[in-house]
Amino acid sequence: MDSLAGKKPAVVWALNISVLALVLLWIFPTLGLFVSSFRTSEQITSSGWWASLFPAEQTLQLRALDPDDHRIETDAGVFVVEGSIFDGDVDTVGIDRWGTSSRTPDAFEPGETADLGEGETMTLAADGTYVWEGNDDQISGRGQRLFIIATIPPDFTTSNYNNVLFKEGNSEGMAKAFFNTLTVVIPSTIIPILIAAFAAYALAWMDFPGRALLIAAVVASLVVPLQLALIPLLSLHNAVGIGKGYLGVWLAHTGFGLPLAIYLLRNYMVGLPRDIIENARVDGATEFQIFTKIILPLSFPALASFAIFQFLWTWNDLLVALVFLIDSSGQTTVMTKQIVELLGTRGGDWEILATSAFVSIAVPLLVFFLMQRYLVRGLLAGSVK
């Protein structure tokens, strides 16, 4: 037994590794989304986000300057075009190899002269400067095409954020969508907490007929798919005249969030010391006074835990907003729908998607980090005595 002192059981190591794996699974996609939001669409489609953090060797297809505008005739009757193949558009740490054909992009070393035939030559230096020489017919038309194998340093841009947040039209739409989302999220988080707190207290500490059946109904409601209730609920909202506005979406989110809220809060309240509540009743406190002055302050971790879940769910929701916020004018468009509209019908603007997605998760991340200390305490509600 002495040889085992100070050693952690295998189950502890397995638990630590599992937690680390879950943390990495959460961090890497978020980091990748953040890095991708500063890249262009060409960079996103050509390489992974992790490759953008370090210099990488790439093959570039570039052209020399148009000879008709830049050629100079020497005394010997030779036409010459001089310039830089990069022309300020591409930043590299140097050319490794180059060529004049896509089949052999590594045919020449920097500084070598390529014979293009019939006296036409091209010399390319390591810094991208070149000298293109030939006769009148050769140095004309379009610029000579070159294939460059170069090491490209990390390159990031803020144009994506300028496009999403400050571009005329986009900025107004995104700002309005942000406040529309807050208009949906804040009531949709507060209303179910208020209702669930009263219900959870009644199911935890008040004796009345049918309490066990109500608890079973709450647990059963947790497994009902949200999509199953969308059409019947929308029909009900349309029948009473609240199917196309904020009130309808507030009530929808409240209904979908109540089962989890009641279940979570009841489990936490059941675990509170019974002596405190019984002593309060002996002292003459009413049920409402016990609830407001004792139960609610002690249940703050569970309330905060559910608030995090409900806030994240309603902030990232698209389906419920599409169903219950029917507005062709765009006055009630939320951020998730605005992101879809920014992408357009083709959906190929990956840089816009990454930037908009990171903008949309900024507020949930802030809420999570501010209240995450209550999350674990709330999730463990009722698990131990």
Side-chain angles (χ1 to χ4, degrees), residues 259-294:
L260 176 62
I262 295 174
Y263 178 77
L264 190 67
L265 295 178
R266 180 202 172 265
N267 285 351
Y268 191 91
M269 292 179 184
V270 166
L272 296 177
R274 178 179 294 271
D275 293 342
I276 298 178
I277 299 174
E278 291 179 350
N279 291 337
R281 286 172 177 165
V282 170
D283 292 339
T286 64
E287 296 291 346
F288 185 76
Q289 290 174 329
I290 295 174
F291 173 73
T292 56
K293 297 182 178 179
I294 298 177

Side-chain angles (χ1 to χ4, degrees), residues 23 149 215 271 371:
V23 171
I149 299 178
I215 296 175
M371 303 184 69

Side-chain angles (χ1 to χ4, degrees), residues 86-133:
F86 299 129
D87 198 23
D89 295 332
V90 181
D91 185 21
T92 71
V93 295
I95 295 176
D96 300 326
R97 305 281 294 182
W98 68 281
T100 58
S101 171
S102 60
R103 290 176 294 181
T104 56
D106 57 349
F108 304 101
E109 294 280 353
E112 283 191 56
T113 299
D115 185 1
L116 304 181
E118 299 182 359
E120 183 183 4
T121 61
M122 171 70 73
T123 304
L124 181 64
D127 60 357
T129 57
Y130 64 87
V131 178
W132 180 19
E133 298 181 349

Side-chain angles (χ1 to χ4, degrees), residues 17-27:
I17 294 174
S18 300
V19 171
L20 178 60
L22 290 175
V23 171
L24 294 178
L25 285 175
W26 186 89
I27 289 178

Side-chain angles (χ1 to χ4, degrees), residues 159-237:
S159 60
N160 298 334
Y161 285 93
N162 293 331
N163 186 16
V164 172
L165 298 177
F166 305 111
K167 183 179 179 181
E168 185 177 356
N170 289 350
S171 60
E172 296 176 1
M174 186 61 71
K176 188 170 185 60
F178 177 82
F179 288 106
N180 289 341
T181 305
L182 288 179
T183 304
V184 172
V185 168
I186 294 176
S188 298
T189 303
I190 295 176
I191 295 174
I193 288 179
L194 293 177
I195 299 174
F198 283 98
Y201 174 74
L203 294 176
W205 293 106
M206 297 177 66
D207 293 325
F208 55 89
R211 186 179 70 166
L213 292 177
L214 286 177
I215 296 175
V218 169
V219 175
S221 300
L222 291 172
V223 299
V224 176
L226 177 151
Q227 295 83 357
L228 200 64
L230 286 178
I231 295 178
L233 190 58
L234 180 60
S235 300
L236 175 62
H237 284 192

